[in-house]
Amino acid sequence: MSSSVPARADNAGASANRPGRLLVTAVGAVGVVFGDIGTSPLYTLQVATDANAGAAVSREDTFGVVSLIVWALTLAVSIKYVTFVMRADNRGEGGILALLALLPRRVQRARISVIALLVIAGASLLFGDGMITPAISVLSALEGLRLAAPGFEPFIVPLTCAVLVGLFAIQSRGTGRVGMLFGPVMVVWFVTIGTLGLRELLQNPAILGALSPHWGARYFARHGPRGLGILGVVVLAITGGEALYADMGHFGARPIRLSWFGLVFPALVLSYLGQGALVLRDSRAVTNPFFAMVPAGLPTYALVGLAAMATTIASQALISGVFSLTHQAVQLGYFPRVTVKHTSHQAEGQIYVPLMNWGLMIACVALVLSFKHSSRLAAAYGIAVSGTMAITSIVFFEVTRKTWKWPAARSIAVLVLFLSFDLPFFGANLLKFFDGGYIPIFVGVIFFVVMLDWHTGRQIWREHMERRSVPLGVFLESLVSSGVARAPGTAIYLSATSGVPYVLAMQAERVRSIMEHVVLLTVAIEHEPQVTEASRYEVEPLACGFVRVTIHFGYMETPSVPPALARAFAEHGIALRLEDATYYIGRETFIAGKGGKMGQATEGLFAFLSRNAKSAVDHFGLPQERVLELGIRIDL
């Protein structure tokens, strides 16, 4: 999952690759990118033993489970994401929506292409994953208190809820002030778990045999089809792998790779090997092998405290990722407009989305209260992660074929390699559907329906407005002979068509008067994270005092129209006073009748989303005191 909102890719990538900044940036990447995957050792092996009703205590099964975890990290993260997928960047940005932007424009703009559907599904599953990660991370960290103080167990769930509520309550303040602490804390975390694992490993070095993949194969040979369920637990070790790709624009590829291979990957492998060695030495450690690596008492309290900080960081990163994904989806036209607040004057990418924040908080607290134990909550975890990873593999294949023009044999070989573990992971997690796996699927379906309906409705609406729009040339010619009066002043009409906006056409037809100076303004959101200033503005002076202006924004930018319009006029020598201009926009009411293309149910949902979406006035930063809205009823 995306763990932070990327900054400008060109700046991030360039500065990160300077020798003097590489190490500092790599430490920052440790704090943001690897929080989710770095806290998986808290519960993965524990859940694996629970999943087999204690069978994993046997030597053979312990070797098998540890081997599967190590090779999952190697194949899914080191090879798939770090080696291959991170090469697919959109001007330095990563993530599933950025991957879609790499495809040819005809694929991006298709109304309902298979790839677009897959990307919407993958993004929807990430929303489902977003509510589980904070809940299971914080709960698993605080469960370590059971070992140091068994009498504290009744307070674990209330304390977890309190931590989660506090975490979401401070989101509106932004993460800039505490961001500098993330990297050093997570470095201490990885050094600690690696050291603890190494200590156990030295006491029982036989566990090194688990590095051989044949132990994983022997596990399935012993258990047969029933052994497939263990993959639903192993996938917990690679949750957060998608974040390596999603956060590439913030840190650059080199620092992330350096952090992974130089610290994170070795620490994770040592931790899992150490927990396996401890279970071989003391079967009682299976109840919580992670915290059993330290003596009860003060060391346990210290490790719980460090784990609580690490899981809070992991949760914070995941929450920021949901904000980022929502912002991208809104800008690309896949989600209704929502309020997005910037929390930093220096870092453009630090944003806060109140609706998603409080929705996530309610969902996380409800999950903790419902499941009460991390091992139970793990049953709801994994489907969204593995589903998104499989979708990423398929879309990456499309990029290699249609954008990079790889030979078919090469692209297919990489796809088969990726799906050889993505699909078994997803299939194994489907077995947990009725044990809680239905929760992220249910949430994902809701977001999928919303995103698909909104995207489809907006396209049909644009086509509808294009059909009703009068060609601009015809309109300008008619102004001369129609007797429409021209009042002094400047009018700015927001337009989504190439013709005349219906607000302007109705004003000329009904009121018989328009302003002396008319600006036809189109705001275009591109499938790029940022747009260069050289290609941001298109200004075309027309006849009869008309000017057509198109302003381009990237999907990671905030479309603040007035200052952008002022710069466009200044650069092109247009002498109009924007301070006195009036903005005219349309407000559509969708009636969900029987005559449209969408159907009553789908248009009814679209109408509901449209009524509750953030207004265009707020979304584009228009001065409210100088905006006039004209309503129209439409049956799509």
Side-chain angles (χ1 to χ4, degrees):
M1 184 68 204
S2 175
S3 56
S4 176
V5 182
R8 289 188 63 90
D10 48 0
N11 294 337
S15 62
N17 288 320
R18 295 171 186 165
R21 292 284 301 168
L22 182 59
L23 184 59
V24 175
T25 309
V27 172
V30 170
V32 175
V33 176
F34 301 107
D36 191 1
I37 197 171
T39 53
S40 294
L42 281 165
Y43 47 81
T44 300
L45 198 61
Q46 173 191 351
V47 175
T49 55
D50 289 344
N52 287 281
V57 177
S58 70
R59 175 184 175 87
E60 292 78 9
D61 282 358
T62 301
F63 271 82
V65 171
V66 173
S67 179
L68 289 170
I69 291 174
V70 170
W71 280 98
L73 288 168
T74 303
L75 293 173
V77 183
S78 296
I79 294 179
K80 176 182 174 179
Y81 280 101
V82 178
T83 303
F84 282 96
V85 177
M86 283 179 61
R87 297 171 60 188
D89 68 285
N90 179 23
R91 295 192 177 187
E93 302 290 347
I96 193 165
L97 290 175
L99 199 59
L100 174 65
L102 289 175
L103 293 171
R105 189 164 294 272
R106 57 182 174 81
V107 178
Q108 301 173 20
R109 302 293 187 187
R111 176 180 291 183
I112 286 289
S113 67
V114 175
I115 295 301
L117 283 174
L118 285 174
V119 170
I120 293 174
S124 301
L125 288 173
L126 288 175
F127 283 113
D129 178 42
M131 69 181 192
I132 300 178
T133 298
I136 192 173
S137 297
V138 177
L139 181 58
S140 62
L142 296 179
E143 282 177 343
L145 293 172
R146 288 196 185 107
L147 297 181
F152 195 79
E153 182 167 353
F155 301 99
I156 291 177
V157 170
L159 181 59
T160 300
C161 293
V163 171
L164 289 171
V165 170
L167 177 63
F168 284 100
I170 64 172
Q171 292 302 309
S172 60
R173 300 182 181 181
T175 58
R177 294 182 179 179
V178 297
M180 292 184 295
L181 297 176
F182 284 10
V185 170
M186 291 306 296
V187 167
V188 172
W189 168 256
F190 284 113
V191 170
T192 299
I193 66 173
T195 302
L196 292 175
L198 178 61
R199 189 182 67 174
E200 296 294 338
L201 177 62
L202 293 176
Q203 296 185 54
N204 195 351
I207 193 64
L208 286 172
L211 296 176
S212 172
H214 87 279
W215 282 106
R218 287 181 60 177
Y219 183 94
F220 294 115
R222 281 193 307 277
H223 292 277
R226 292 185 299 118
L228 179 64
I230 196 63
L231 292 180
V233 178
V234 172
V235 76
L236 300 177
I238 58 175
T239 57
E242 187 85 13
L244 277 74
Y245 177 46
D247 284 319
M248 183 169 55
H250 186 67
F251 296 100
R254 282 189 65 196
I256 291 176
R257 290 192 176 106
L258 176 62
S259 301
W260 174 253
F261 288 114
L263 175 63
V264 179
F265 183 50
L268 290 174
V269 171
L270 285 173
S271 180
Y272 287 118
L273 288 174
Q275 291 182 55
L278 176 59
V279 170
L280 290 178
R281 181 168 56 86
D282 183 1
S283 61
R284 294 172 298 178
V286 297
T287 57
N288 201 322
F290 179 83
F291 286 103
M293 288 192 294
V294 297
L298 185 59
T300 302
Y301 286 119
L303 187 57
V304 168
L306 180 59
M309 287 190 289
T311 53
T312 301
I313 291 171
S315 301
Q316 170 64 63
L318 194 281
I319 295 166
S320 299
V322 171
F323 294 164
S324 174
L325 181 64
T326 303
H327 184 51
Q328 293 181 38
V330 168
Q331 297 295 74
L332 292 175
Y334 288 103
F335 202 76
R337 293 188 296 265
V338 295
T339 299
V340 176
K341 298 181 178 181
H342 287 262
T343 60
S344 172
H345 295 289
Q346 290 78 32
E348 179 184 355
Q350 291 187 16
I351 60 174
Y352 167 64
V353 184
L355 177 66
M356 300 306 297
N357 182 70
W358 300 118
L360 279 177
M361 186 198 75
I362 294 172
C364 287
V365 172
L367 285 173
V368 173
L369 293 175
S370 299
F371 287 86
K372 294 183 173 61
H373 297 281
S374 62
S375 57
R376 296 176 186 172
L377 189 54
Y381 205 23
I383 293 183
V385 175
S386 55
T388 302
M389 291 176 67
I391 291 171
T392 297
S393 298
I394 296 172
V395 183
F396 179 76
F397 167 78
E398 290 292 310
V399 171
T400 62
R401 291 288 296 137
K402 296 180 179 179
T403 304
W404 296 348
K405 307 299 182 183
W406 280 12
R410 183 182 179 188
S411 295
I412 292 174
V414 172
L415 177 64
V416 169
L417 172 64
F418 292 169
L419 294 183
S420 67
F421 48 84
D422 284 340
L423 293 182
F425 279 139
F426 184 64
N429 277 281
L430 286 178
L431 298 176
K432 304 188 296 183
F433 183 84
F434 294 105
D435 295 325
Y438 62 87
I439 293 177
I441 293 294
F442 177 73
V443 173
V445 167
I446 292 176
F447 276 96
F448 179 82
V449 171
V450 168
M451 294 174 73
L452 181 60
D453 187 79
W454 182 258
H455 184 65
T456 302
R458 293 293 292 179
Q459 286 194 324
I460 294 176
W461 171 78
R462 281 192 292 268
E463 293 169 1
H464 176 86
M465 300 310 296
E466 284 284 357
R467 289 193 303 269
R468 293 190 51 171
S469 177
V470 178
L472 183 59
V474 175
F475 180 81
L476 292 178
E477 290 178 3
S478 69
L479 282 180
V480 179
S481 57
S482 62
V484 174
R486 306 297 295 271
T490 300
I492 302 172
Y493 294 86
L494 267 67
S495 173
T497 71
S498 58
V500 179
Y502 77 84
V503 175
L504 173 59
M506 291 182 65
Q507 186 180 5
E509 179 183 351
R510 304 292 182 182
V511 183
R512 310 295 298 170
S513 174
I514 62 175
M515 293 289 190
E516 180 182 7
H517 302 287
V518 175
V519 178
L520 304 179
L521 175 63
T522 299
V523 178
I525 305 299
E526 302 299 329
H527 282 248
E528 301 173 2
Q530 290 90 22
V531 174
T532 62
E533 291 302 311
S535 59
R536 187 176 299 280
Y537 312 108
E538 296 178 37
V539 178
E540 180 186 3
L542 304 169
C544 302
F546 278 60
V547 178
R548 179 176 291 281
V549 179
T550 302
I551 304 177
H552 301 269
F553 292 97
Y555 63 79
M556 290 301 298
E557 298 179 293
T558 298
S560 183
V561 165
L565 190 58
R567 288 193 296 270
F569 283 173
E571 290 182 9
H572 290 81
I574 305 296
L576 293 179
R577 285 179 54 82
L578 290 179
E579 296 82 1
D580 301 325
T582 301
Y583 294 83
Y584 291 84
I585 63 176
R587 178 172 289 274
E588 303 83 11
T589 299
F590 303 99
I591 59 178
K594 298 181 179 179
K597 293 182 178 180
M598 288 193 72
Q600 288 182 281
T602 52
E603 188 176 355
L605 174 60
F606 180 73
F608 172 79
L609 296 173
S610 181
R611 286 194 303 269
N612 290 277
K614 184 181 179 182
S615 71
V617 177
D618 295 328
H619 185 68
F620 294 119
L622 305 182
Q624 299 191 26
E625 68 279 2
R626 291 191 281 115
V627 174
L628 291 179
E629 293 184 340
L630 183 63
I632 185 174
R633 292 171 62 86
I634 301 175
D635 184 1
L636 296 181

